[in-house]
């Protein structure tokens, strides 16, 4: 049976220093490999064990990194093993084929967004107009597809995100709070839709998936088998789905266990 392995990256397979979740004595901490550098600073890591598992996975399966990151942000990551033929960026807005965004997929996404939901300009204007400078740190647009705010979460008023979500719902958008970021994403823009397209192109009969955040929920629901770590927004909400295995491991140890699960399943 031909299968693809579609996995989120941040806090699923790769981890910032703050997200490593190391709880053992320093002398017992795993050796780390840096997989992302930005402005001459190391940003993201895997363990040496995970690096070996990633290399094995890349050589034995159709591995599809599936991220909300923009193409530029994804390009900073250098995972061990062969370069994936396919990758998904911008929450499904771009399918990269050998590192180049597929124009047919871009056009299909653009048509769906134009037909099914309010414009990015309208949503962005509402975000900027209703956010309070007292707690808003940054406002950003990703790939001209979706928007997000970086906020001081301790100062965020109770109910503001819920009110924004209700406003966005009627305009075909979803809202989620993840860490210090509030994402506003068009409903048609999903990781699962892009993964289905990759599966069609390679003739895959089964999809394996992993993720930790609310923006991974649709991917895990659509997969035949999936895994989530013991940390993240999905863990916080107790998310479950058919075919989903909830792992007890947290932090970088969860990344290793997800890779082992992919390899066992293959």
């Amino acid at each position: 049976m031909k299968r693809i392995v579609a996995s989120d990256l941040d806090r699923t397979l790769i981890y910032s220093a703050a997200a490593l979740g190391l709880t053992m004595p320093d002398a017992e901490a795993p050796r780390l490999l840096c997989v992302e550098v930005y402005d001459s600073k190391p940003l993201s890591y895997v363990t040496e064990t995970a690096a070996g598992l990633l290399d094995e996975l890349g050589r034995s399966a159709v591995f599809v990194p599936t991220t909300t990151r923009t193409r530029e942000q994804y390009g900073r990551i250098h995972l061990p093993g062969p370069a994936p033929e396919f990758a998904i960026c911008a929450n499904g807005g771009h399918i990269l084929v050998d590192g180049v965004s597929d124009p047919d997929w871009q056009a299909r996404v653009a048509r769906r967004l134009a037909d099914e939901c309010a414009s990015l300009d309208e949503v962005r204007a509402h975000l900027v107009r209703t956010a309070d400078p007292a707690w808003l740190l940054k406002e950003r647009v990703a790939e001209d597809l979706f928007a997000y705010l970086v906020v001081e979460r301790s100062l965020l008023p109770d109910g503001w995100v819920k009110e924004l979500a209700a406003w966005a719902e009627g305009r075909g958008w979803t809202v989620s709070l993840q860490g210090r970021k509030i994402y506003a994403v068009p409903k048609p823009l999903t990781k699962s839709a892009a993964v289905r397209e990759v599966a069609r192109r390679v003739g895959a009969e089964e999809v394996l998936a992993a993720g930790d955040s609310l923006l991974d929920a649709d991917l895990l629901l659509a997969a035949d088998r999936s895994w989530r770590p013991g940390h993240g927004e999905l863990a916080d909400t107790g998310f479950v789905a058919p075919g989903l295995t909830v792992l007890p491991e947290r932090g970088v140890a969860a990344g290793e266990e997800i890779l082992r699960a992919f390899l066992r399943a293959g």
Side-chain angles (χ1 to χ4, degrees):
M1 178 184 295
K2 191 165 188 178
R3 55 177 59 90
I4 67 171
V5 175
S7 181
D8 177 50
L9 295 177
D10 294 280
R11 292 170 58 87
T12 299
L13 296 186
I14 69 174
Y15 291 81
S16 68
L20 288 171
L22 300 177
T23 58
M24 69 283 290
D26 290 351
E28 299 174 17
R31 288 165 57 94
L32 300 173
L33 174 68
C34 179
V35 294
E36 180 187 14
V37 175
Y38 183 61
D39 281 346
S40 302
K41 297 177 182 178
L43 287 188
S44 301
Y45 303 85
V46 298
T47 66
E48 284 192 345
T49 297
L53 295 170
L54 272 166
D55 182 73
E56 184 179 352
L57 181 66
R59 297 180 188 283
S60 61
V62 180
F63 172 50
V64 184
T66 306
T67 180
T68 303
R69 285 180 176 233
T70 65
R71 287 171 289 173
E72 186 276 330
Q73 291 167 338
Y74 171 70
R76 302 196 304 245
I77 300 171
H78 300 283
L79 297 174
E85 179 182 1
F86 295 97
I88 292 166
C89 296
N91 210 61
H94 291 278
I95 294 176
L96 305 188
V97 183
D98 293 325
V100 178
S101 184
D102 181 83
D104 291 338
W105 181 252
Q106 284 187 55
R108 287 169 58 181
V109 168
R111 286 194 298 269
R112 288 200 64 189
L113 298 189
D115 292 343
E116 299 178 27
C117 49
S119 70
L120 173 62
D121 287 344
E122 178 184 347
V123 173
R124 184 183 184 188
H126 183 81
L127 288 173
V128 173
R129 183 171 62 251
T130 58
D132 190 331
W135 46 261
L136 177 61
L137 303 177
K138 298 177 184 177
E139 180 265 335
R140 294 286 186 269
V141 168
E143 300 269 20
D144 290 326
L145 292 169
F146 63 91
Y148 63 93
L149 306 178
V150 182
V151 303
E152 186 62 60
R153 188 157 176 172
S154 62
L155 300 178
L156 188 66
D158 292 339
W160 191 86
V161 174
K162 186 176 181 179
E163 291 175 6
L164 175 64
W167 178 89
E169 172 69 23
R171 290 161 177 82
W173 287 63
T174 63
V175 170
S176 59
L177 174 61
Q178 304 188 50
R180 297 195 306 155
K181 293 181 178 179
I182 300 170
Y183 287 92
V185 179
K187 288 183 180 180
L189 192 69
T190 63
K191 293 181 176 181
S192 59
V195 167
R196 281 195 296 271
E197 174 62 14
V198 174
R200 184 192 68 80
R201 294 187 186 191
V202 303
E205 302 171 62
E206 185 178 44
V207 174
L208 311 180
D212 73 292
S213 80
L214 296 173
L215 289 172
D216 295 316
D218 72 283
L219 174 62
L220 303 187
L221 284 166
D224 297 289
R225 286 185 282 174
S226 60
W227 292 262
R228 70 162 173 83
H231 63 256
E233 291 82 16
L234 294 180
D236 293 343
T237 59
F239 176 83
V240 294
L244 172 68
T245 298
V246 176
L247 299 172
E249 290 83 2
R250 300 169 59 88
V252 73
E256 288 187 6
E257 191 53 38
I258 287 167
L259 289 166
R260 291 190 186 98
F262 284 151
L263 288 165
R264 287 195 297 266

